[in-house]
Amino acid sequence: AGVLDPLGLISTRDMRRYEIMEIKHARAAMLGFVHVLLIHAGVRFPGYLSPSAGLKFADMPVGCFASLEATPTAGWLQIMLVTCMAETGAIANSGISPLFGEAQTLEKAPGDIGGEVWQRYDDPELKAFKLNAERNNGRAAMLGITGCLIHELLGVDALYPTGGLGGAAPPAFLS
């Protein structure tokens, strides 16, 4: 089989870097798409998103952009701080929690940042299957979340752009 590279670009680039970036973006897209599904289903955490601002999770709007805009600046700073600490392995290195992962190093396979607490596969065939499934699901999620964002920019519902339910999402059944 092999890799389709009609322009011969693979030999001129650090493909490992692109592979790592693809996996990171795919994982973020999978989380984002699951977020859209859960928000549209009416799932909300109990309690406050921002106690000082009096903002409850239940008060967050359904739309992708609306929920981004409703999140307070301090919340975004917290998200960025945790993301940076997880990306660099600072949380795992500090001993606070092994669940946030470790830094990507040259010794590790691309995307292998889960630490020792995550599942490992000894069977090479099973491992290849699982990694391929993650890549393909991530690629689908990147397209899915991009589609949701474009639908909202076009002024229709992210998950129900055809308006089959009067132009709106179905009523929430989980709360």
Side-chain angles (χ1 to χ4, degrees):
V3 176
L4 176 64
D5 185 22
L7 301 177
L9 297 176
I10 290 179
S11 62
T12 64
R13 301 265 192 253
D14 177 11
M15 294 311 291
R16 177 181 166 81
R17 180 173 174 265
Y18 290 112
E19 199 174 7
I20 291 168
M21 288 190 304
E22 178 191 22
I23 292 168
K24 287 179 187 178
H25 286 95
R27 289 173 178 167
M30 286 187 272
L31 287 172
F33 194 74
V34 168
H35 163 79
V36 170
L37 293 175
L38 292 175
I39 287 293
H40 276 77
V43 176
R44 301 289 193 278
F45 287 120
Y48 285 87
L49 175 65
S50 175
S52 60
L55 179 63
K56 294 182 178 183
F57 284 104
D59 298 334
M60 289 298 286
V62 173
C64 298
F65 290 109
S67 62
L68 291 174
E69 292 168 356
T71 303
T73 303
W76 281 114
L77 293 174
Q78 290 172 349
I79 291 168
M80 295 303 293
L81 179 65
V82 170
T83 302
C84 290
M85 292 179 72
E87 179 78 20
T88 61
I91 295 175
N93 293 341
S94 70
I96 294 172
S97 173
L99 299 176
F100 277 94
E102 301 171 350
Q104 179 74 59
T105 61
L106 291 174
E107 297 82 37
K108 295 180 183 177
D112 186 11
I113 58 171
E116 296 304 317
V117 297
W118 294 95
Q119 175 70 43
R120 296 291 191 274
Y121 299 99
D122 295 327
D123 179 15
E125 190 175 311
L126 179 62
K127 182 177 181 177
F129 173 80
K130 295 285 188 176
L131 292 174
N132 192 40
E134 181 189 20
R135 288 255 178 101
N136 288 329
N137 289 337
R139 290 169 182 154
M142 286 188 273
L143 291 172
I145 194 69
T146 301
C148 287
L149 295 171
I150 290 171
H151 286 150
E152 283 201 11
L153 288 173
L154 293 173
V156 295
D157 187 79
L159 289 181
Y160 305 96
T162 60
L165 295 165
F173 62 92
L174 298 173
S175 57

